[in-house]
Structure formats: structure tokens, C-alpha cells
Amino acid sequence: MFRTALRNVLAHKARLLMTVLAVMLGVAFVSGTLVFTNTISDAFQKSSAKGFDQVDVAMTADYQEAEGDRVGKPHDLTRATLDKSERVPGAASAIGVVQGFTAIADKDGELIGEGFQSQGGNYWGAKDPRYPLVSGHAPKGPGEILIDSDTAKRAGYQVGDTVRMSVDGPVLTPKITGIFTTDDGNVAAGGSLTLFDTATAQKLFGKAGVYDQIDVKAKPGVTQAALKAELDKALPEGTVSTTTGKQLADDQAESISRSMDGMRTALLVFAGIALFVGTFIIANTFTMLVAQRTRELALMRAVGASRRQVTRSVLVEAFVVGAVAAVTGLVAGIGIGAGLRSLMGTFGGTVPDGPLVVKPTTIVAALAVGTLVTMLAAWLPGRRAAKIPPVAAMNSVHAKATTKSLVLRNTLGALVSAAGVAVVLVATGMDGSDGQVPMGLGAVLLIIGVFILTPLLSRPLIAAAAPVLRVFGVSGKLARQNSVRNPRRTAATASALMIGLTLITGMTVMAGSLQQAIEKMASASIKADYVVSMANGNALSPDVEKKLERTDGVTATSPMLNAASRIDGRTEYLTGVDGAAIGELAGPEVDTGSFKVGGSDVVVDSETAKTYGWKAGSAFTAAFEDGKKQKLTVAGTYESNDFLSGILLDEKVLAPHESDPYNMKVMVKTAGGTSGATQDKLEKALGTNPAVKVQDKQDISNEIAQMFTLMLNMVYGLLAMAVIVAVLGVVNTLAMSVFERSQEIGMLRAIGLDRKGIKRMVRLESLVISLFGAVLGIGLGVFFGWAAGELLATKLATYELILPWARMGIFLLLAATVGVLAALWPARRAARLNMLEAIKAE
């Protein structure tokens, strides 16, 4: 039986080719994902470990104790602390580290990198071992800086150039005196690193005479643990925390590994979808192969083969096919991993140098996935073949499904589908976070139920295409009959395409509706023409609002001052605004009362009000940073959003209690509304500062939606893999169907149907099957998009369903194109059959 199985594989190698390709693509995606994420993780871990080469023990300041749960002030790491650590037995040297946000502009005045990735620091002495110089010399004084080599390359800067930059304050124009290399992770991810001499860094970052960290290097032969113990003994307890360089490197490696988990999981989910789609192709292929070899299997049963042996022979064939596909998929996956790494550079991402990492677990996973998926998909056709009685099989080439089996299948499909719909509908009535798991479960049940029902659904849906197919005469009529002749095969072929389009349509519906909701939220809740904020999300200087107030054309401004308070034993953040101007600058949807801020009157978002049981007219007491308390009254409640939330009160009430007011944003209203000229005027008023963002409502909307747009584009790219696998399924089914119907095609040719007619018949059959799968997929996608939107609506009040009719039309057109392209080779093969040989075919 084993030799027979191997001979069958060799005999049907052309027909099994598409199955091998489908499995290979899925395995390649799995192994490519693992290679890619392991390679990046390893490169960043080694790079970060290099960054700790000069650190044997790192010292950071402990916090002084404070009353209650308020965070105390840190003990200062001064020059005296550094000198003391340097004199500790076993210490060779010590470096004081100063860090802070530094925005550096390119030659066009635009910020280099994202705000949170734009960092600054200090260069220690004349030669800092942390930052090897490529060219130039160490900075001296406030007018000189060093920049990293990646930033210099991206912006086209050289030693001697003058740059525009800012450190939470006015624009500076220092000269570049040197360029250095670094293993800093932010730089590797596309950020920038700017270095000043230590005194200048301390002054700019508001840390005069103190350090953020002290890095101590051990003498040769002294272990990190021994040096740490000496430092702990020498320095007062409770003032300094010490950590070994090895521990820092290990913590960083673990953090990098955790950060890769999300990407790895997301990519593996899409690989799983591709493999899931591939199982339909595998099951379809083996079902057709078994059907074509019914007499052969019956003869084997007649001469003594048991049911188990027949099933086992089919599984052996599947194992061979899966093993070949797994090995080729693993090799292709290594190439995909390398390609994805190179592709990161195209999208602006940077990865430290390092070899491709192919772990033993990757090899085992690829081989196991390829063989197991193929064998599982082939098990049911093999079992079904073994159950056919030998005498019945010898009398019929095709074993038709019994009425009992069809009734059982349709009943099961209806029950599973109904359960899926019910669970999804229940989930839509739940809170956004609570409903995610039930909705996922309901979606899986519904997809499985529809797949089981697809043979039943194929007849009425394909029959609906009959009027169009009649236009093509005999070829169209035959194509329709061929499509419904074997509903299970048609269902399995269409289901592969259905799953891909379900996911794509669902994501498109959600993304379009979400974009509309964000734009509506921005236009409804923000009446201001512009919102000014720091690029890294830090606090703005109080001078920013004053400069904007004095700018020609500005009619109203309001800060958004952020401060912590204690209310009923809980920490709540307050937002201070200009009570007189806020109504002109913001207008969220008011639930109760009025949007009135001033004196002791405040407005509260509905969620916070619900938490405390407040309503319009309720009073509460807030304790401020300085310990003073004040009674406040709720004037109204409003719907929160990404721009406005929490408790809003007048800044004149809040600011006197704050030692260092934390001004997050400034809202600006202008006489002429938004325009390029007005935005330029505001930016110039702030010194064209690369650290400050001036955004209108559209900019804010785009920034919020950017993440979702990026995710959608990534989903489209990843789901393309599933669609490609589905195309292979259509090609495979048609090619095997043509072989199976060789005699029939020969008879059609003999009675007068020409080659063009045969080609047209196969193409129309492919087109009908593809459109059938597309209609099911788009229908399910719209349903899932609506259901997921109901969950989002609990968190985003402006959300409403928007159906992307144009895109859905494009999806249908793409499905039709897939059908036509998939039929090219099978149609050509059918047309070239020799009619006399085909008529004689068994």
C-alpha cells in the first residue's frame, strides 16, 4: 500500500502541483514570519547589548519618600556622587549621563523622525567611549553639537553645517562639529540623537549640576556583581539604585522580545488564514483524486485491502505532498524573512546589522505545519473513499452524496450559522472590550456554518446568473450546469475566495466608517481653527500661548492645562481651560446641563460623571497639588473623545495651585479661518520651531486615523496571500475538472462545439464560481463590519456605518478578474484535447 501511494503521487504530480503551491505559500508565510521577527529581535538585542559594553554598573536616583500616593522628588545625582563612585574599590571610571527631548529639523525645516524618537544627550569629555566619532571633534559650548551618522545621512548634513533645533524652548542654531555612530534603539528605528557638551546638556534639559544616570566601568578582573556590591556599601542607602550592565542588557532583550510578540502574532494570524484557505484546496484536490480513482480503490478493496489501508494510502500521499511543500515553503520563508527585513528600509525603518536567524523551532514549525495541515485536509476524503462498498464503486465512477448526508449537512450548517449570528448579535449589545471575545467566537461559527451551507447556497445564487449566461449561448448554459453539477466541489473552491474577501470587506467597512467618525468627531468637538502642541507630547512652554495671543489675526486662545487632583480618595486629572473662550473653541456633544466653565463651575465627561454618580448640579471637592481644596459644581456633562475628556475647569482656578503648570495644548481661533498662509504665520510667530506642531482639524483627524490606515494597508497586503492561495484553488479545481470531464469535452467537440466555445465554457464556469465566492464574502464582510462597528460605537459616539460601495464594486471586479485569469490555463488545456482520444478516455 505504501508503494502504491508513492506511485499515485508520481502519477498525479501535475494535478498535485497546485496543492503543493498552496501549502508552500502558507508554510512560507509562517516560516518567513518567524525568521523575520527572530532576526529583528536578535539584531536589536545584540545592538542593545553593545550599547551596554561601557556600562558595568548603572546608578539611578531613588525617590525621596512622600505622603500618601503622591510621587516624591528624586535624590539628585551630583558631581560629588559621581566622584565618590569613581573612587570605589574596583571602579575604573564613571560617566555622568544627561538625557532629554531634542527636536532637530532637516534642511527643509521639517522634524527628523517622530517626536518621541528625537532624543538628546551629553558627550562626555573629549572622547566618549559610548559614541565613537566618525568625523569632527567633541562639542564645546552651547553653539556646537554632534549628530548621529544615520540622521546626518538622511538629512544630508555634514560637519560644519548649521542646523535648526529646539529643546522644549526657543529655536537654536548650533553648528555640527562632529558625526558619531551609535547602537541606540531609537536611532535604529528612524529617530535622531543630538549630543551637547555636558554643561550645555544640563542647562538645556533643566538639570543644572545633576545627572539622570551614572555609568561606572569596572577595573579589569572585577566582576559587575562585585562592583555593584562595593557601590551599594559606599553610597547612602535609599538614595541610589544600582543595576549591573548585564541585567540592563537582559531587561532590554526581554523588552524587545515582548515588543515583537504583537507583530509576530499578527503575522502568524494571517499565515494561519492562508493555511486555512489552503485546506480547502487540499481537501478539494484529494476529493477529486479519490473520485477519479474510485474503481481503482474498489478493486484494491476487492482484493483484500481494508478500509484502514485505503485511508492510510491517501494519508501517505498527503504526507509526501505536505513534506515536499513544507521543505520548499521553509526555503521560500527564509527568503521572505530576508525580503521583509530589506523592505523595512524602504518604508523608513532601520534594523541593526546582523545575520538571518533560522532557529530550530522555525524549522520544526514549518515542517510540522506543512505536513499536518495537508494530512488533516486529506483525512476526510480518504475516510470517505474507504467507506464506499467495492461493488458500488466498480459500477460508478462518481460516488454521489446521499440524500441523508445532504440533509444532515444542511441541518448542521443551519444550526451552526444560526448560533454564530446569535452570538454576534448578543456581542453587539455588550461593552466594547467585553464583546470582543464573543464576537470573535460568533464570527468563526458563522463562517464555518456558511461554509457547510455553501453547497445548498450555490444552486440559487448561481441560478441567478442564468439570464446573463444565456447571452453566451451553449457555452454559458453548459458553464452554469457544470458549476452546480458538483455543489460540494464548487463550495470548497468558492469558500477559499469567500474567506479572503470576508476579511478584506469587513476591514474596509470598519476603516471607512471609523475615518468618517473621526472626521465628524474632530469637526464637531473642535471649533478652534488650530491646535498647537509639542511633537513628543510633552508640555508646552507658557510663552507659546502668549506669543499666539499677540499674533495678528488671532481672535481667541485657550490653553489645556493638565494637573492631578484627589477626589473622593481617587487620583483624577483636571484640564484647565480659558473659561471665557472655551465655548468658542470647543463644542462637544452635551448630554446634560450646559457647556459652561468659569469660577467653581466645571464640565465633566459622561463616563467620569457616571463613575462618581454626578449629574448637572452635583457638587464635589477637589484637592490640588499644593494640598488646598475647593468645592466645584458640575455645570454639565459631555461626550468624551480623543481630543476632549475628563474634568474641565477654568485655568484661573487651577493654575495658582500648580508649581509647574503642565500646558499640553493651546487652541487657537483666527479671523480668517484655516489657510496655508495663516498656518505659516502661526509657525513663524513660534520661531518655525521643529519641536512644535501647528495642526488644523484635518491634520488632527489624519493623525488619529493614521494608525488605522496603516493597519488597513498592512491587512490588504497580508490578505493578498490568502487571495493568491484562493486563486490557486480555482486553477487547481478547474484543471482537475477538465481532466475528469475529458470524455464529455471530447463529445462536445465531436458534436460541433469549437475550441473557442470550450474555452468560453471553462472561463464562464470559473467566473461564476469566483463571483459566487465574492458575493458570499462581501455579504459576510458587511455583516461583520457592521457588528464590529456596534462595538466601536460604545467607545466612539460619532461612529455610524458607512458602506464603501465603490470599493465593494472593485472587489467584485477583482473577483471576476481572478476567475478569468485562473481559467486561462485550464481553458487552453481543455480546448487542446484531442476529441477522439478524449472520447475513449476512462
Side-chain angles (χ1 to χ4, degrees):
M1 292 299 292
F2 180 72
R3 287 197 300 271
T4 303
L6 290 179
R7 279 200 296 270
N8 280 327
V9 172
L10 295 173
H12 302 113
K13 53 183 177 289
R15 279 176 272 174
L16 290 169
L17 178 62
M18 294 298 173
T19 303
V20 170
L21 283 173
V23 180
M24 185 198 77
L25 283 173
V27 172
F29 209 161
V30 171
S31 54
T33 294
L34 294 174
V35 168
F36 172 61
T37 52
N38 288 337
T39 297
I40 290 182
S41 181
D42 183 74
F44 274 116
Q45 285 175 13
K46 286 180 178 174
S47 175
S48 66
K50 276 186 200 172
F52 295 112
D53 282 350
Q54 301 300 320
V55 184
D56 286 318
V57 177
M59 299 164 52
T60 53
D62 268 349
Y63 277 81
Q64 299 171 16
E65 292 186 13
E67 294 181 8
D69 65 350
R70 299 173 72 86
V71 177
K73 289 179 64 179
H75 290 279
D76 288 335
L77 293 177
T78 62
R79 181 74 202 197
T81 312
L82 186 144
D83 292 340
K84 191 171 185 179
S85 65
E86 210 167 16
R87 292 193 298 269
V88 163
S93 61
I95 291 175
V97 179
V98 185
Q99 297 169 326
F101 167 66
T102 302
I104 182 168
D106 59 21
K107 291 185 176 180
D108 296 324
E110 298 296 327
L111 177 68
I112 298 174
E114 297 292 336
F116 65 91
Q117 295 173 326
S118 303
Q119 299 296 318
N122 67 311
Y123 191 83
W124 189 256
K127 188 175 182 181
D128 192 327
R130 299 172 298 166
Y131 306 114
L133 285 174
V134 175
S135 59
H137 60 80
K140 299 171 185 175
E144 297 184 351
I145 61 165
L146 304 181
I147 63 171
D148 66 271
S149 55
D150 288 343
T151 297
K153 186 177 179 182
R154 286 202 304 272
Y157 284 135
Q158 297 178 343
V159 173
D161 287 346
T162 298
V163 298
R164 291 180 64 81
M165 53 162 289
S166 174
V167 180
D168 288 354
V171 174
L172 305 173
T173 54
K175 183 185 289 186
I176 299 172
T177 62
I179 295 171
F180 63 91
T181 59
T182 178
D183 294 310
D184 187 279
N186 280 320
V187 174
S192 63
L193 180 60
T194 308
L195 300 180
F196 311 86
D197 67 83
T198 301
T200 301
Q202 288 174 323
K203 182 180 177 183
L204 288 173
F205 299 141
K207 300 165 184 175
V210 301
Y211 308 103
D212 293 300
Q213 182 175 305
I214 295 174
D215 294 340
V216 186
K217 186 76 177 166
K219 289 179 179 177
V222 177
T223 65
Q224 292 184 352
L227 178 58
K228 180 181 182 301
E230 291 292 341
L231 287 166
D232 288 340
K233 270 194 292 182
L235 297 166
E237 187 178 349
T239 60
V240 175
S241 292
T242 56
T243 311
T244 63
K246 183 180 184 306
Q247 184 62 51
L248 288 172
D250 290 344
D251 291 345
Q252 182 98 337
E254 187 180 342
S255 173
I256 290 168
S257 181
R258 279 199 307 270
S259 68
M260 296 302 298
D261 285 344
M263 181 190 292
R264 185 183 293 112
T265 301
L267 291 172
L268 286 174
V269 164
F270 289 103
I273 291 168
L275 282 169
F276 184 57
V277 172
T279 58
F280 293 110
I281 300 173
I282 300 163
N284 223 10
T285 302
F286 279 93
T287 299
M288 295 177 73
L289 284 175
V290 167
Q292 292 167 14
R293 287 161 42 208
T294 306
R295 287 186 178 179
E296 174 193 326
L297 293 173
L299 184 61
M300 291 171 64
R301 291 286 314 282
V303 296
S306 66
R307 286 185 176 184
R308 284 187 177 180
Q309 285 178 310
V310 171
T311 304
R312 203 178 297 138
S313 70
V314 175
L315 290 177
V316 168
E317 291 178 43
F319 175 78
V320 173
V321 170
V324 171
V327 172
T328 52
L330 174 62
V331 174
I334 294 171
I336 287 173
L340 286 173
R341 176 175 169 166
S342 300
L343 201 61
M344 281 191 72
T346 307
F347 290 109
T350 316
V351 182
D353 292 333
L356 274 180
V357 178
V358 185
K359 294 185 177 180
T361 51
T362 302
I363 298 171
V364 171
L367 296 177
V369 165
T371 52
L372 287 177
V373 167
T374 310
M375 290 178 73
L376 284 172
W379 174 74
L380 192 59
R383 187 169 174 270
R384 194 181 296 139
K387 292 172 73 174
I388 301 172
V391 175
M394 286 181 182
N395 290 330
S396 175
V397 175
H398 306 294
K400 295 181 181 178
T402 64
T403 304
K404 181 182 176 182
S405 70
L406 289 174
V407 170
L408 182 65
R409 176 175 182 140
N410 294 338
T411 304
L412 178 64
L415 290 172
V416 174
S417 298
V421 171
V423 173
V424 169
L425 291 177
V426 168
T428 58
M430 301 171 71
D431 183 66
S433 52
D434 295 335
Q436 290 176 5
V437 173
M439 184 163 289
L441 175 63
V444 170
L445 286 173
L446 182 54
I447 288 176
I448 292 172
V450 170
F451 169 65
I452 297 171
L453 283 175
T454 309
L456 179 66
L457 297 172
S458 65
R459 289 186 179 276
L461 287 176
I462 291 175
V468 178
L469 292 174
R470 284 197 197 103
V471 175
F472 298 95
V474 175
S475 297
K477 184 178 180 181
L478 289 170
R480 186 183 67 79
Q481 291 175 346
N482 289 335
S483 301
V484 296
R485 179 187 298 179
N486 192 330
R488 285 184 173 179
R489 183 191 304 161
T490 298
T493 307
S495 295
L497 197 58
M498 176 192 79
I499 291 170
L501 281 175
T502 295
L503 295 167
I504 290 173
T505 305
M507 290 297 297
T508 303
V509 169
M510 281 180 59
S513 302
L514 198 58
Q515 177 72 48
Q516 185 82 2
I518 290 167
E519 288 178 2
K520 189 183 290 186
M521 179 269 293
S523 60
S525 64
I526 306 172
K527 293 181 181 178
D529 294 318
Y530 294 98
V531 177
V532 180
S533 60
M534 288 293 291
N536 66 335
N538 282 356
L540 283 164
S541 165
D543 293 336
V544 169
E545 188 191 4
K546 294 173 185 174
K547 288 180 180 178
L548 291 169
E549 280 180 341
R550 295 194 296 266
T551 303
D552 183 39
V554 172
T555 58
T557 64
S558 172
M560 294 183 72
L561 185 68
N562 199 281
S565 70
R566 297 286 291 174
I567 300 172
D568 292 347
R570 301 181 189 175
T571 298
E572 283 291 344
Y573 283 89
L574 308 174
T575 302
V577 296
D578 187 323
I582 190 63
E584 190 179 349
L585 296 165
E589 186 177 337
V590 177
D591 288 338
T592 60
S594 63
F595 194 71
K596 178 189 172 187
V597 178
S600 62
D601 287 339
V602 303
V603 291
V604 185
D605 74 87
S606 299
E607 284 189 29
T608 304
K610 186 179 177 182
T611 301
Y612 289 96
W614 296 337
K615 58 184 179 181
S618 297
F620 63 93
T621 301
F624 299 108
E625 181 191 28
D626 59 1
K628 294 181 180 178
K629 298 179 181 180
Q630 181 165 340
K631 191 174 182 179
L632 302 171
T633 304
V634 178
T637 61
Y638 66 96
E639 287 291 334
S640 65
N641 53 59
D642 283 357
F643 182 74
L644 274 180
S645 62
I647 302 170
L648 307 185
L649 76 163
D650 199 310
E651 62 155 335
K652 295 183 182 68
V653 175
L654 180 62
H657 300 288
E658 298 297 309
S659 57
D660 185 17
Y662 199 72
N663 198 351
M664 290 299 297
K665 296 183 178 78
V666 175
M667 293 180 281
V668 182
K669 189 81 171 174
T670 60
T674 58
S675 68
T678 303
Q679 189 163 346
D680 287 342
K681 188 189 292 183
L682 295 176
E683 288 175 351
K684 284 177 182 175
L686 298 174
T688 317
N689 194 324
V692 178
K693 294 189 296 185
V694 179
Q695 298 175 295
D696 61 19
K697 284 184 274 193
Q698 190 59 50
D699 293 333
I700 293 169
S701 174
N702 291 342
E703 187 174 68
I704 297 170
Q706 186 177 15
M707 179 181 66
F708 302 106
T709 305
L710 183 66
M711 188 189 304
L712 183 65
N713 291 335
M714 187 179 76
V715 167
Y716 281 159
L718 295 173
L719 287 177
M721 177 71 76
V723 174
I724 291 169
V725 174
V727 171
L728 292 176
V730 178
V731 174
N732 201 31
T733 301
L734 288 173
M736 296 185 72
S737 180
V738 165
F739 177 83
E740 185 180 90
R741 300 189 333 244
S742 295
Q743 191 176 53
E744 175 191 319
I745 292 169
M747 288 296 295
L748 289 171
R749 289 290 314 283
I751 61 175
L753 191 62
D754 60 10
R755 288 187 173 182
K756 284 185 179 179
I758 295 291
K759 282 183 179 180
R760 193 179 300 120
M761 177 188 74
V762 176
R763 285 173 187 158
L764 288 172
E765 182 181 344
S766 174
L767 184 64
V768 166
I769 292 173
S770 297
L771 287 175
F772 168 55
V775 168
L776 285 180
I778 291 172
L780 282 173
V782 169
F783 176 70
F784 290 140
W786 165 81
E790 290 297 297
L791 285 185
L792 281 172
T794 62
K795 300 292 184 184
L796 191 62
T798 54
Y799 185 92
E800 63 177 288
L801 181 68
I802 304 292
L803 292 181
W805 295 106
R807 289 207 178 187
M808 289 193 292
I810 291 171
F811 294 156
L812 272 177
L813 186 62
L814 286 174
T817 306
V818 163
V820 172
L821 293 176
L824 288 177
W825 177 59
R828 187 167 176 268
R829 185 182 178 197
R832 294 179 65 184
L833 284 175
N834 183 294
M835 70 178 76
L836 295 177
E837 290 180 2
I839 290 170
K840 292 190 295 181
E842 285 287 331

